Amino acid sequence: MVPVLETERLVLRPFADSDLDHLVELIGDADVAAMTSNVPHPYTRADGTAWLERRQSETPEGDDATLAIQLRSGPPLVGSIALWCREKNRVAEIGYWLGQIYWNRGYMTEAAQGILRYAFDELGYGTVYAWAFTHNLASRRVQEKLGMTLVETRLRLAPARNREIETTKRRITAEEWRNDHRT
């Protein structure tokens, strides 16, 4: 079952049909799409409809979750964060995007903290990692704020960009997370 997670300013929840217009507007921004590997540009209403249908019809494998990021006090959708879990070795990956008008407000760091707390404290994962294009300084900064450390830098295929792009991989362990986030 896809969870609903809450942070101080955000609700992370399953996507709904009513998210379509906001999804197309936000991820359709050329600057947002350019920082993703798999989001085409231009991003059409048909792309959004197909993506939402896949999210709603898939049965998540294990603990996988793709969540809408919503402000508690505002718009129904400001971005998305996903957790992909690898049951065999208790390692998970996160991926995310945020609408450009919501950049530089700490929302993605807060959403990522919420999903890491869920991965480590509720699901019991031992390690979580994330990729970012090396030129995506904002995404790399989010990962650094989370306490993730650099594991590698390499070229990776970005299907929507139709080429390989230099990316960094960072990771954090449950132990590192707990040491940094004791309450």
Side-chain angles (χ1 to χ4, degrees), residues 8 37-38 91 97 99 118 129-130 166 180:
E8 183 179 336
S37 295
N38 296 311
V91 172
W97 63 266
Y118 175 69
Y129 68 92
E166 187 175 74
D180 286 348

Side-chain angles (χ1 to χ4, degrees), residues 72-92:
R72 285 181 180 263
S73 62
L77 179 70
V78 299
S80 178
I81 190 161
L83 178 72
W84 303 286
C85 303
R86 310 297 174 252
E87 289 289 331
K88 183 177 177 183
N89 54 11
R90 302 307 290 170
V91 172

Side-chain angles (χ1 to χ4, degrees), residues 27 32-41 43 47 51 54 84 93 133 156-162:
I27 198 72
V32 175
M35 295 300 163
T36 70
S37 295
N38 296 311
V39 176
H41 185 76
Y43 193 83
D47 292 326
W51 189 85
R54 284 193 304 277
W84 303 286
E93 176 182 356
F133 295 150
R156 289 186 73 207
L157 180 62
R161 310 286 80 77
N162 200 27

Side-chain angles (χ1 to χ4, degrees), residues 77-143:
L77 179 70
V78 299
S80 178
I81 190 161
L83 178 72
W84 303 286
C85 303
R86 310 297 174 252
E87 289 289 331
K88 183 177 177 183
N89 54 11
R90 302 307 290 170
V91 172
E93 176 182 356
I94 60 171
Y96 45 82
W97 63 266
L98 192 65
Q100 186 172 184
I101 62 173
Y102 304 104
W103 291 358
N104 300 313
R105 298 181 191 181
Y107 295 139
M108 189 50 69
T109 300
E110 186 175 328
Q113 287 170 339
I115 206 135
L116 286 179
R117 186 174 300 107
Y118 175 69
F120 291 135
D121 294 346
E122 293 186 37
L123 299 178
Y125 279 84
T127 302
V128 174
Y129 68 92
W131 293 92
F133 295 150
T134 55
H135 65 274
N136 187 342
L137 301 179
S139 185
R140 290 174 38 208
R141 184 69 186 121
V142 165
Q143 294 167 9

